[in-house]
Amino acid sequence: MRPAVFGAMDGLVSNAALIAGVAGGTQSSSDSSAVLLAGFAGLAAGAFSMAAGEYASVASQSEAAERAIAIERREIIANPEAERAELSEALQAKGLEPGLADEVSRQVHRDVDKAVAVHSMEEFGVDPDDLASPMLAAVSSFLSFSLGGVVPLLPYLFGAPNVLLALGLTLIALFACGAVVTRLTSRPWWFGGLRQAALGGAAFALTWGIGSLVGTGIG
């Protein structure tokens, strides 16, 4: 849930800030087509960028884990006694008595696949049977970013004359996302909601100001 909410917040802040910048730069015009175009372009660009980045990141992590697992498998096959002793020492460090640790290690090493799995979890914190899916990560990032990014566009799609409704709707959504994430921490829900809304509002205001200055300069 938390990655999905963070992806939605990313879409909210980045696209709302982009819309604010364009709205600030074109505020003398009553035509909202430039804002809509920028918003949809930002939504598409951000969603695809997030998906591509997440795919590459997770794929790299999975490939690195697969390489480490393959190395561990070769070591277990080539030096079974040393690897058994290594696992026994690790178990003893966790509080098992030497005799029990030796017996557990011996039983684990009866099966190479089980030994690889246990050593991988013990040494790398990786489960060979539960590596992250790059495609799932990419699709999830694309959808969550898109969900957040479309929110500041909604008022313009229904004919809003200025950026105020987009700002209000975005702040409400940011408050809700911040409150949801904070429920997983020791902070009160309202603290997380207000913090996220304040940060998003600051980004919104700053890009609106920059857009206004740039728009005036090139107008």
mmCIF file with all atom_site columns, all heavy atoms in Angstrom, residues 22-23 26 31-39:
data_model
loop_
_atom_site.group_PDB
_atom_site.id
_atom_site.type_symbol
_atom_site.label_atom_id
_atom_site.label_alt_id
_atom_site.label_comp_id
_atom_site.label_asym_id
_atom_site.label_entity_id
_atom_site.label_seq_id
_atom_site.pdbx_PDB_ins_code
_atom_site.Cartn_x
_atom_site.Cartn_y
_atom_site.Cartn_z
_atom_site.occupancy
_atom_site.B_iso_or_equiv
_atom_site.pdbx_formal_charge
_atom_site.auth_seq_id
_atom_site.auth_comp_id
_atom_site.auth_asym_id
_atom_site.auth_atom_id
_atom_site.pdbx_PDB_model_num
ATOM 1  N N   . VAL A 1 22 ? 2.492  26.466 -15.447 1.00 0.00 ? 22 VAL A N   1
ATOM 2  C CA  . VAL A 1 22 ? 1.918  26.902 -16.731 1.00 0.00 ? 22 VAL A CA  1
ATOM 3  C C   . VAL A 1 22 ? 0.794  27.907 -16.496 1.00 0.00 ? 22 VAL A C   1
ATOM 4  O O   . VAL A 1 22 ? 0.678  28.906 -17.206 1.00 0.00 ? 22 VAL A O   1
ATOM 5  C CB  . VAL A 1 22 ? 1.407  25.694 -17.534 1.00 0.00 ? 22 VAL A CB  1
ATOM 6  C CG1 . VAL A 1 22 ? 0.709  26.152 -18.806 1.00 0.00 ? 22 VAL A CG1 1
ATOM 7  C CG2 . VAL A 1 22 ? 2.558  24.758 -17.872 1.00 0.00 ? 22 VAL A CG2 1
ATOM 8  N N   . ALA A 1 23 ? -0.037 27.663 -15.482 1.00 0.00 ? 23 ALA A N   1
ATOM 9  C CA  . ALA A 1 23 ? -1.118 28.595 -15.172 1.00 0.00 ? 23 ALA A CA  1
ATOM 10 C C   . ALA A 1 23 ? -0.564 29.955 -14.759 1.00 0.00 ? 23 ALA A C   1
ATOM 11 O O   . ALA A 1 23 ? -1.104 31.003 -15.140 1.00 0.00 ? 23 ALA A O   1
ATOM 12 C CB  . ALA A 1 23 ? -1.992 28.025 -14.053 1.00 0.00 ? 23 ALA A CB  1
ATOM 13 N N   . THR A 1 26 ? 0.637  31.815 -17.866 1.00 0.00 ? 26 THR A N   1
ATOM 14 C CA  . THR A 1 26 ? -0.387 32.178 -18.851 1.00 0.00 ? 26 THR A CA  1
ATOM 15 C C   . THR A 1 26 ? -1.600 32.804 -18.186 1.00 0.00 ? 26 THR A C   1
ATOM 16 O O   . THR A 1 26 ? -2.699 32.771 -18.725 1.00 0.00 ? 26 THR A O   1
ATOM 17 C CB  . THR A 1 26 ? -0.843 30.943 -19.639 1.00 0.00 ? 26 THR A CB  1
ATOM 18 O OG1 . THR A 1 26 ? -1.368 29.969 -18.724 1.00 0.00 ? 26 THR A OG1 1
ATOM 19 C CG2 . THR A 1 26 ? 0.308  30.340 -20.415 1.00 0.00 ? 26 THR A CG2 1
ATOM 20 N N   . ASP A 1 31 ? -7.795 31.293 -21.821 1.00 0.00 ? 31 ASP A N   1
ATOM 21 C CA  . ASP A 1 31 ? -7.810 30.001 -22.495 1.00 0.00 ? 31 ASP A CA  1
ATOM 22 C C   . ASP A 1 31 ? -7.038 28.988 -21.658 1.00 0.00 ? 31 ASP A C   1
ATOM 23 O O   . ASP A 1 31 ? -5.864 29.186 -21.360 1.00 0.00 ? 31 ASP A O   1
ATOM 24 C CB  . ASP A 1 31 ? -7.172 30.164 -23.884 1.00 0.00 ? 31 ASP A CB  1
ATOM 25 C CG  . ASP A 1 31 ? -7.234 28.862 -24.681 1.00 0.00 ? 31 ASP A CG  1
ATOM 26 O OD1 . ASP A 1 31 ? -7.928 27.931 -24.235 1.00 0.00 ? 31 ASP A OD1 1
ATOM 27 O OD2 . ASP A 1 31 ? -6.579 28.799 -25.732 1.00 0.00 ? 31 ASP A OD2 1
ATOM 28 N N   . SER A 1 32 ? -7.709 27.911 -21.264 1.00 0.00 ? 32 SER A N   1
ATOM 29 C CA  . SER A 1 32 ? -7.071 26.908 -20.417 1.00 0.00 ? 32 SER A CA  1
ATOM 30 C C   . SER A 1 32 ? -6.455 25.778 -21.223 1.00 0.00 ? 32 SER A C   1
ATOM 31 O O   . SER A 1 32 ? -5.994 24.802 -20.643 1.00 0.00 ? 32 SER A O   1
ATOM 32 C CB  . SER A 1 32 ? -8.102 26.334 -19.438 1.00 0.00 ? 32 SER A CB  1
ATOM 33 O OG  . SER A 1 32 ? -9.145 25.677 -20.140 1.00 0.00 ? 32 SER A OG  1
ATOM 34 N N   . SER A 1 33 ? -6.444 25.889 -22.551 1.00 0.00 ? 33 SER A N   1
ATOM 35 C CA  . SER A 1 33 ? -5.938 24.794 -23.371 1.00 0.00 ? 33 SER A CA  1
ATOM 36 C C   . SER A 1 33 ? -4.453 24.535 -23.109 1.00 0.00 ? 33 SER A C   1
ATOM 37 O O   . SER A 1 33 ? -4.015 23.380 -23.127 1.00 0.00 ? 33 SER A O   1
ATOM 38 C CB  . SER A 1 33 ? -6.167 25.089 -24.859 1.00 0.00 ? 33 SER A CB  1
ATOM 39 O OG  . SER A 1 33 ? -5.513 26.285 -25.254 1.00 0.00 ? 33 SER A OG  1
ATOM 40 N N   . ALA A 1 34 ? -3.693 25.593 -22.858 1.00 0.00 ? 34 ALA A N   1
ATOM 41 C CA  . ALA A 1 34 ? -2.263 25.415 -22.590 1.00 0.00 ? 34 ALA A CA  1
ATOM 42 C C   . ALA A 1 34 ? -2.060 24.639 -21.291 1.00 0.00 ? 34 ALA A C   1
ATOM 43 O O   . ALA A 1 34 ? -1.179 23.772 -21.191 1.00 0.00 ? 34 ALA A O   1
ATOM 44 C CB  . ALA A 1 34 ? -1.559 26.763 -22.520 1.00 0.00 ? 34 ALA A CB  1
ATOM 45 N N   . VAL A 1 35 ? -2.878 24.941 -20.282 1.00 0.00 ? 35 VAL A N   1
ATOM 46 C CA  . VAL A 1 35 ? -2.773 24.245 -19.002 1.00 0.00 ? 35 VAL A CA  1
ATOM 47 C C   . VAL A 1 35 ? -3.162 22.775 -19.166 1.00 0.00 ? 35 VAL A C   1
ATOM 48 O O   . VAL A 1 35 ? -2.500 21.872 -18.637 1.00 0.00 ? 35 VAL A O   1
ATOM 49 C CB  . VAL A 1 35 ? -3.665 24.921 -17.944 1.00 0.00 ? 35 VAL A CB  1
ATOM 50 C CG1 . VAL A 1 35 ? -3.609 24.146 -16.629 1.00 0.00 ? 35 VAL A CG1 1
ATOM 51 C CG2 . VAL A 1 35 ? -3.226 26.354 -17.728 1.00 0.00 ? 35 VAL A CG2 1
ATOM 52 N N   . LEU A 1 36 ? -4.239 22.523 -19.900 1.00 0.00 ? 36 LEU A N   1
ATOM 53 C CA  . LEU A 1 36 ? -4.665 21.147 -20.133 1.00 0.00 ? 36 LEU A CA  1
ATOM 54 C C   . LEU A 1 36 ? -3.612 20.352 -20.895 1.00 0.00 ? 36 LEU A C   1
ATOM 55 O O   . LEU A 1 36 ? -3.311 19.208 -20.551 1.00 0.00 ? 36 LEU A O   1
ATOM 56 C CB  . LEU A 1 36 ? -5.979 21.131 -20.917 1.00 0.00 ? 36 LEU A CB  1
ATOM 57 C CG  . LEU A 1 36 ? -7.263 21.247 -20.090 1.00 0.00 ? 36 LEU A CG  1
ATOM 58 C CD1 . LEU A 1 36 ? -8.465 21.446 -21.008 1.00 0.00 ? 36 LEU A CD1 1
ATOM 59 C CD2 . LEU A 1 36 ? -7.453 20.017 -19.226 1.00 0.00 ? 36 LEU A CD2 1
ATOM 60 N N   . LEU A 1 37 ? -3.050 20.971 -21.927 1.00 0.00 ? 37 LEU A N   1
ATOM 61 C CA  . LEU A 1 37 ? -2.023 20.290 -22.714 1.00 0.00 ? 37 LEU A CA  1
ATOM 62 C C   . LEU A 1 37 ? -0.813 19.962 -21.840 1.00 0.00 ? 37 LEU A C   1
ATOM 63 O O   . LEU A 1 37 ? -0.292 18.842 -21.866 1.00 0.00 ? 37 LEU A O   1
ATOM 64 C CB  . LEU A 1 37 ? -1.600 21.161 -23.893 1.00 0.00 ? 37 LEU A CB  1
ATOM 65 C CG  . LEU A 1 37 ? -0.445 20.619 -24.748 1.00 0.00 ? 37 LEU A CG  1
ATOM 66 C CD1 . LEU A 1 37 ? -0.818 19.275 -25.346 1.00 0.00 ? 37 LEU A CD1 1
ATOM 67 C CD2 . LEU A 1 37 ? -0.086 21.622 -25.851 1.00 0.00 ? 37 LEU A CD2 1
ATOM 68 N N   . ALA A 1 38 ? -0.381 20.951 -21.060 1.00 0.00 ? 38 ALA A N   1
ATOM 69 C CA  . ALA A 1 38 ? 0.766  20.720 -20.182 1.00 0.00 ? 38 ALA A CA  1
ATOM 70 C C   . ALA A 1 38 ? 0.455  19.643 -19.149 1.00 0.00 ? 38 ALA A C   1
ATOM 71 O O   . ALA A 1 38 ? 1.297  18.782 -18.842 1.00 0.00 ? 38 ALA A O   1
ATOM 72 C CB  . ALA A 1 38 ? 1.147  22.022 -19.482 1.00 0.00 ? 38 ALA A CB  1
ATOM 73 N N   . GLY A 1 39 ? -0.769 19.664 -18.611 1.00 0.00 ? 39 GLY A N   1
ATOM 74 C CA  . GLY A 1 39 ? -1.144 18.680 -17.606 1.00 0.00 ? 39 GLY A CA  1
ATOM 75 C C   . GLY A 1 39 ? -1.161 17.271 -18.150 1.00 0.00 ? 39 GLY A C   1
ATOM 76 O O   . GLY A 1 39 ? -0.650 16.338 -17.516 1.00 0.00 ? 39 GLY A O   1
#
